[in-house]
């Protein structure tokens, strides 16, 4: 609003000067100048605000700071109007409209959350373990009541995904193991190829996708073959395709299942560092999108770091057949662009410069959501059109104090942000009215 005040002040000075320089009685000129100022100031403020965008809003609620202060969130779940912030020691559920506590659930005594699934139909699954040992328990949580549905020992889930609303799939040691989400009943298992091991996992109601690495006869050389394997939700093998890497992957993450999309970085120099997409039917290669190009670097992928280590949140999203990601010009530290690439052929579909630094990019059914930090305690959420990147809906936020890469969710009338670190200045969670 500082700029608005300056515009009004300048207009008032000009009109006041014109009134006193004109001919006529001094009293009449003074009255005319006052009236002009009265009209000019609100008029200029309205015009400038129209140019700036919609009026800003402040958070409707914010959650109290974490205790102890060093605690961080490891995952986030949303079930309609309920948002759950998952810490290693506890689950905190909030009502998105009011911020009121819906429920809390502590991890079992002397256990920590060490794996987490996504949420579907009010249910989610977690792994528990005693650090630094691997996970040794698997459990399911009802997100509407905050109760554990079941818990079983003897399962070592390093990753958990959901194959539809009824089945969870865990990377259990060396194999994939599926269980009923509501009752924990064993469903099926799938072993890796002999001499290989699974490295990453994702799933949907249509298929289960896993990255599989097969080392050469000399594992110490760090060379081998990396594959992408697909299974039906019943566990039946569908296809296996070579990702083209010759060295062991430093990073292998499945960004999406529909279409299968993998973020792959080889160890060593000059290896693959790209996003790869494949045909869902047979795994045939479709697109290769380099992380670094002549004019952009895809920021979240370049850093290889993501907030919320068990359910990583990066400023990148798969929206239909597009990869939408924050990007920076070479040599720039801040991501000031949003770039969309086709997952069909890798071509750039559109690019969009934003007024500030991109913090979050999230997929939504009606287009990507982008959160931007503009400085001076002002942030903006844009809902973009998937076809061309133009802003369809915009909400300006005051004093949200966002930083890093927050989780961004949406309800009918709220945006909800969840931060990995929840301190006095960076609230663990907050809700903002949508425009």
């Amino acid at each position: 609003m500082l700029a608005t005040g300056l515009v009004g002040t300048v207009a008032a000075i000009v009109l006041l000067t014109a009134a006193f320089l004109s001919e006529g009685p001094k009293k009449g000129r003074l009255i005319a100048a006052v009236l002009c100022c009265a009209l000019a100031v609100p008029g200029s403020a309205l015009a400038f605000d129209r140019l700036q965008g919609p009026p800003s809003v402040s958070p409707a609620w914010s959650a109290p700071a974490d205790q102890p202060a060093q605690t961080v969130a490891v995952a986030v779940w949303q079930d309609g109007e309920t948002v759950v912030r998952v810490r290693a020691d506890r689950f905190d559920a909030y009502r998105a409209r009011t911020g009121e506590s819906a429920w809390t659930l502590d991890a079992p005594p002397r256990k920590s959350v060490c794996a987490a699934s996504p949420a579907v139909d009010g249910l989610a699954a977690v792994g528990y373990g005693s650090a630094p040992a691997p996970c040794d328990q698997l459990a399911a949580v009802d997100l509407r009541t905050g109760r554990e549905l079941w818990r079983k020992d003897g399962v070592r889930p390093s990753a958990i995904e959901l194959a539809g609303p009824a089945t969870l799939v865990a990377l259990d040691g060396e194999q994939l193991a599926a269980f009923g989400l509501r009752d924990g009943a064993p469903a099926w298992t799938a072993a890796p190829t002999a001499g290989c091991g699974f490295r990453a996992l994702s799933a949907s109601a249509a298929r289960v996708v896993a990255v599989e690495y097969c080392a050469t006869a000399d594992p110490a050389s760090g060379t081998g073959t990396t594959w992408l394997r697909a299974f039906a939700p019943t566990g039946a093998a569908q296809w296996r395709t070579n990702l083209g890497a010759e060295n062991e992957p430093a990073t292998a993450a499945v960004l999406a299942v529909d279409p299968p999309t993998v973020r792959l970085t080889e160890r060593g120099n000059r290896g693959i560092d790209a996003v790869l997409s494949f045909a869902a039917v047979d795994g045939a290669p479709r697109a290769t999108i380099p992380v670094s190009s002549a004019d952009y670097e895809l920021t979240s992928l370049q850093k290889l770091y993501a907030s919320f280590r068990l359910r990583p949140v990066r400023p990148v999203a798969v929206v239909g057949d597009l990869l939408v990601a924050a990007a920076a010009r070479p040599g720039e530290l801040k991501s000031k662009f949003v770039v969309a690439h086709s997952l069909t052929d890798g071509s750039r579909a559109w690019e969009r410069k934003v007024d500030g630094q991109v913090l979050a990019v999230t997929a939504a059914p009606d287009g990507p959501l982008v959160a931007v930090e503009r400085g001076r305690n002002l942030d903006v959420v844009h809902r973009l059109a998937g076809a061309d990147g133009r802003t369809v809906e915009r909400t300006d936020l005051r004093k949200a104090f966002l930083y890093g890469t927050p989780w961004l969710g949406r309800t009918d009338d709220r945006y909800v942000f969840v931060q990995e670190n929840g301190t006095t200045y960076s609230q663990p969670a907050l809700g903002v009215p949508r425009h």
Side-chain angles (χ1 to χ4, degrees):
M1 290 304 171
L2 176 60
T4 303
L6 290 175
V7 171
T9 301
V10 171
I13 292 173
V14 171
L15 291 169
L16 184 64
T17 302
F20 273 100
L21 290 178
S22 63
E23 297 182 357
K26 183 177 180 180
K27 182 178 181 180
R29 284 182 285 151
L30 180 60
I31 293 173
V34 171
L35 291 175
C36 287
C37 290
L39 293 173
V41 172
S44 62
L46 178 61
F48 195 85
D49 284 344
R50 290 287 185 184
L51 292 174
Q52 263 196 323
S56 61
V57 296
S58 297
W61 59 267
S62 60
D66 278 333
Q67 291 183 334
Q70 294 81 12
T71 305
V72 298
V74 295
V76 184
W77 295 321
Q78 181 177 2
D79 176 53
E81 292 285 330
T82 301
V83 173
V84 183
R85 186 170 182 263
V86 181
R87 302 182 353 179
D89 61 340
R90 193 177 73 200
F91 308 84
D92 291 313
Y94 304 98
R95 303 293 184 198
R97 183 169 183 78
T98 63
E100 295 175 316
S101 174
W103 51 264
T104 61
L105 175 67
D106 290 331
R110 306 187 69 82
K111 295 285 186 179
S112 297
V113 177
C114 50
S117 77
V120 63
D121 286 355
L123 300 175
V126 294
Y128 294 124
S130 301
C135 296
D136 57 12
Q137 290 182 333
L138 182 66
V141 179
D142 185 333
L143 305 186
R144 292 165 190 175
T145 63
R147 294 185 300 105
E148 264 191 11
L149 296 180
W150 52 266
R151 191 194 312 166
K152 61 173 54 191
D153 297 323
V155 183
R156 298 175 297 160
S158 57
I160 309 173
E161 298 292 331
L162 301 183
T167 306
L168 71 87
V169 181
L171 180 48
D172 177 15
E174 296 297 321
Q175 67 177 4
L176 302 182
F179 302 87
L181 183 54
R182 290 193 173 275
D183 58 11
W188 54 264
T189 60
T193 306
C196 307
F198 292 119
R199 292 294 183 90
L201 174 69
S202 192
S204 70
R207 68 188 55 82
V208 178
V209 174
V211 175
E212 183 182 62
Y213 174 67
C214 305
T216 58
D218 179 16
S221 68
T223 59
T225 307
T226 304
W227 302 84
L228 189 65
R229 294 187 63 183
F231 303 85
T234 60
Q238 291 184 331
W239 47 259
R240 184 175 188 245
T241 190
N242 192 331
L243 296 186
E246 297 180 2
N247 299 320
E248 184 179 7
T251 299
V254 182
L255 300 181
V257 176
D258 304 300
T261 306
V262 177
R263 159 55 165 141
L264 180 67
T265 301
E266 288 185 70
R267 295 190 188 278
N269 297 323
R270 305 300 299 278
I272 295 174
D273 189 15
V275 175
L276 313 174
S277 72
F278 303 87
V281 176
D282 57 6
R286 299 170 79 210
T288 298
I289 303 169
V291 168
S292 297
S293 62
D295 49 356
Y296 288 118
E297 295 199 32
L298 304 186
T299 309
S300 63
L301 307 179
Q302 169 195 356
K303 292 180 179 177
L304 299 182
Y305 170 78
S307 302
F308 307 96
R309 64 180 181 84
L310 298 184
R311 301 297 314 171
V313 175
R314 303 175 175 91
V316 60
V318 173
V319 183
D321 249 346
L322 290 177
L323 179 80
V324 182
R329 295 284 194 194
E332 292 187 350
L333 297 178
K334 293 185 177 181
S335 312
K336 298 182 180 179
F337 292 83
V338 180
V339 180
H341 287 266
S342 168
L343 289 172
T344 302
D345 59 15
S347 63
R348 187 174 300 165
W350 49 262
E351 60 187 65
R352 164 74 189 278
K353 190 177 190 302
V354 295
D355 185 13
Q357 179 180 2
V358 180
L359 298 179
V361 179
T362 302
D366 50 1
L369 304 176
V370 178
V372 178
E373 179 188 28
R374 294 187 60 188
R376 293 190 295 275
N377 295 329
L378 177 63
D379 302 287
V380 182
V381 178
H382 298 270
R383 178 168 65 86
L384 304 183
D388 55 15
R390 61 187 171 83
T391 296
V392 178
E393 176 185 310
R394 171 175 168 169
T395 300
D396 286 18
L397 320 176
R398 284 281 179 192
K399 298 182 179 179
F401 301 109
L402 303 177
Y403 78 103
T405 306
W407 178 92
L408 169 60
R410 185 181 67 173
T411 65
D412 289 341
D413 62 352
R414 289 281 188 274
Y415 286 116
V416 179
F417 292 92
V418 178
Q419 312 229 72
E420 186 178 43
N421 293 285
T423 66
T424 303
Y425 300 103
S426 170
Q427 294 90 348
L430 56 94
V432 181
R434 288 174 56 192
H435 274 314

